[in-house]
Amino acid sequence: MTASEYLYVNLQQQAPIPLAAEFTCSKNELIVLVGPSGSGKTTLLRSIAGLHHVKEAIVKIDNETWCDHSTNCNLPTQQRRTGFVFQHYALFPHFTVAENVGIAMQDKNKASISHEVSRILSLVNLEGFEQRYPAQLSGGQQQRVALARALARNPKLLLLDEPFSAVDLVTRRKLRRELVKIRQQLDIPIIFVTHDLDEAYMLADRLFIIHEGQLLQSGQADEVISRPVNAKVARLIDQNNIFSAKVKTHNMDKGLTLLHWKETELECALDERFIPGETVDWLVPSEGVILHRVDRPSRGERENPVEGIIDECISLGENTQIIIRLSGLAGKISFAVPTHVARRNNLTEEKAIRVSLLANAIHLMKAIDSK
């Protein structure tokens, strides 16, 4: 196996829980799995750890085979060097912090266990908490104990199943920063499950989109979020402005592809993957929608202008979220503007407004049945 293939996973089955995921992971890489509830993220982690049996499974790490259906190899969980942090921590309530961590080191002598427990608790910023019980800890401190216990196994792979979901937002942000620091001291891959796209964007070396057990797209987080492969992935990463159109032509001189959308012609950045006459799905992110301001018109307003009626106008502190019903076109477009801009332009529900869809922000995708 090469350095980029330190971990190799291939999980395939139709039932009882569908899985279709094959990927590799390098030694110091942090992969984040994102998908809706019931999409198979936790099942994937449990399958790697040996807690769930998959009909066709191969898991290899650092030239060790943990399971391979073709050779009937299937090591039990205790023989797979994984550190697993569960969503609800699963700490032993009648054990102290030191005992909860030390229980993962029963193959060592007492003196070694004590020294190693102190080292790991220092790593997760829990020095001085050795004799406390879980009930005496905050949610964030319990999470750190769970992480310390996972690391106490000296794992070759760390699996984190929504480890921050049970804590408040402030604590969650702090724990994210701590994980970033801790992983710099680890020499193992990490697979992290979350629903939170902001969390995924902050932590991921690579982002994996999972739906119905299938790995739909993987890549660097900014690439996946800005260039989803299809409308299904786009919706899973919370893109709302998704439509269908036909490619009209390519203008090589201007570096543009022209779309025929309903009765409107749209310009977008040149994309020769699609041929004239082909139906495509396309999206424009919220930041690619520009309000035509009453007080200060600009040349940019000539770029893909569309008009509509404000359907929703909701102030969310510094920004105001707007959804417009498109005039003469089926569908709605959502975007946000600074709240002071919304007030200056007197934006209210049922008001007619115009927006521009920036050509360079429009992303074309192969049309599929995304339901």
Side-chain angles (χ1 to χ4, degrees), residues 106-133:
Q106 294 307 305
D107 58 335
K108 298 182 180 181
N109 61 55
K110 193 170 184 179
S112 296
I113 290 175
S114 178
H115 174 78
E116 191 65 8
V117 166
S118 296
R119 184 189 71 82
I120 293 175
L121 289 179
S122 175
L123 179 65
V124 298
N125 296 317
L126 280 179
E127 306 98 319
F129 287 78
E130 288 84 354
Q131 300 309 311
R132 295 195 189 184
Y133 290 89

Side-chain angles (χ1 to χ4, degrees), residues 308-313 323 325 347-353:
I309 305 297
I310 296 179
D311 202 45
E312 292 183 20
C313 185
I323 299 177
R325 301 189 306 272
L347 300 185
T348 57
E349 292 182 3
E350 299 304 319
K351 181 173 182 175
I353 63 171

Side-chain angles (χ1 to χ4, degrees), residues 40 58 101 128 134 141 169 179 183 185 225 229 247 252 297 300 316 318 343:
I58 302 174
V101 177
Q141 290 165 343
L169 182 59
L179 178 60
R183 69 166 296 209
Q185 303 180 55
I225 290 171
V229 294
V247 176
M252 305 298 184
L316 301 172
E318 294 182 356
R343 290 172 179 166

Side-chain angles (χ1 to χ4, degrees), residues 291 306-313 322-329 331-335 347-355:
L291 175 69
V306 295
E307 55 186 45
I309 305 297
I310 296 179
D311 202 45
E312 292 183 20
C313 185
I322 298 170
I323 299 177
I324 63 173
R325 301 189 306 272
L326 298 170
S327 301
L329 297 165
K332 299 180 180 181
I333 284 182
S334 65
F335 64 104
L347 300 185
T348 57
E349 292 182 3
E350 299 304 319
K351 181 173 182 175
I353 63 171
R354 288 169 61 87
V355 298

Side-chain angles (χ1 to χ4, degrees), residues 175-193:
L175 290 172
R176 289 174 189 163
R177 293 193 298 269
E178 290 185 358
L179 178 60
V180 170
K181 294 178 181 178
I182 290 171
R183 69 166 296 209
Q184 295 173 355
Q185 303 180 55
L186 302 177
D187 196 27
I188 57 174
I190 301 172
I191 303 180
F192 186 106
V193 164

Side-chain angles (χ1 to χ4, degrees), residues 14-299:
Q14 295 295 320
I17 301 174
L19 281 177
E22 181 180 13
F23 61 89
T24 61
C25 183
S26 60
K27 192 171 186 180
N28 301 103
E29 192 172 20
L30 194 155
I31 287 174
V32 177
L33 308 183
V34 172
S37 296
S39 62
K41 305 183 301 297
T42 295
T43 301
L44 192 150
L45 291 194
R46 289 172 56 84
S47 300
I48 294 172
L51 296 169
H52 178 79
H53 177 68
V54 178
K55 292 179 180 178
E56 297 182 18
I58 302 174
V59 179
K60 297 182 179 181
I61 186 166
D62 192 22
N63 295 313
E64 293 179 7
T65 299
W66 286 354
C67 68
D68 187 340
H69 68 278
S70 65
T71 61
N72 293 319
C73 172
N74 187 20
L75 296 185
T77 300
Q78 57 270 26
Q79 291 184 27
R80 304 187 189 195
R81 284 175 54 188
T82 59
F84 204 136
V85 178
F86 297 91
Q87 186 172 350
H88 298 293
Y89 313 143
L91 301 178
F92 295 106
H94 56 289
F95 282 9
T96 65
V97 167
E99 289 168 338
N100 264 287
V101 177
I103 198 170
M105 309 179 190
Q106 294 307 305
D107 58 335
K108 298 182 180 181
N109 61 55
K110 193 170 184 179
S112 296
I113 290 175
S114 178
H115 174 78
E116 191 65 8
V117 166
S118 296
R119 184 189 71 82
I120 293 175
L121 289 179
S122 175
L123 179 65
V124 298
N125 296 317
L126 280 179
E127 306 98 319
F129 287 78
E130 288 84 354
Q131 300 309 311
R132 295 195 189 184
Y133 290 89
Q136 299 172 308
L137 304 175
S138 68
Q141 290 165 343
Q142 290 184 43
Q143 190 276 341
R144 292 188 187 96
V145 176
L147 178 57
R149 186 176 61 186
L151 295 175
R153 296 194 67 199
N154 190 27
K156 287 193 169 185
L157 172 65
L158 185 60
L159 305 174
L160 305 178
D161 188 8
E162 297 192 63
F164 307 149
S165 62
V167 297
D168 61 86
L169 182 59
V170 173
T171 302
R172 188 172 186 145
R173 288 172 177 166
K174 184 177 181 180
L175 290 172
R176 289 174 189 163
R177 293 193 298 269
E178 290 185 358
L179 178 60
V180 170
K181 294 178 181 178
I182 290 171
R183 69 166 296 209
Q184 295 173 355
Q185 303 180 55
L186 302 177
D187 196 27
I188 57 174
I190 301 172
I191 303 180
F192 186 106
V193 164
T194 184
H195 285 94
D196 189 325
L197 282 171
D198 291 334
E199 186 167 82
Y201 195 86
M202 174 183 175
L203 296 174
D205 294 322
R206 277 191 297 157
L207 184 63
F208 285 17
I209 306 299
I210 306 290
H211 184 57
E212 296 178 344
Q214 184 177 4
L215 175 57
L216 299 182
Q217 185 174 355
S218 65
Q220 293 187 343
D222 55 354
E223 176 69 14
V224 173
I225 290 171
S226 64
R227 303 185 64 81
V229 294
N230 54 46
K232 180 183 287 187
V233 172
R235 291 189 175 94
L236 290 172
I237 59 175
D238 203 29
Q239 293 282 8
N240 297 310
N241 303 324
I242 305 170
F243 307 93
S244 293
K246 281 192 175 182
V247 176
K248 184 176 181 180
T249 188
H250 300 301
N251 188 322
M252 305 298 184
D253 294 336
K254 294 184 177 180
L256 295 173
T257 290
L258 303 183
L259 302 179
H260 186 71
W261 178 44
K262 307 298 183 180
E263 301 303 320
T264 301
E265 183 180 281
L266 292 181
E267 298 178 347
C268 64
L270 182 65
D271 193 336
E272 296 182 78
R273 294 177 302 158
F274 306 100
I275 62 175
E278 182 176 357
T279 298
V280 296
D281 291 329
W282 64 274
L283 69 83
V284 60
S286 175
E287 58 270 23
V289 181
I290 307 300
L291 175 69
H292 290 200
R293 293 170 57 159
V294 175
D295 60 328
R296 194 176 66 196
S298 68
R299 289 183 301 172

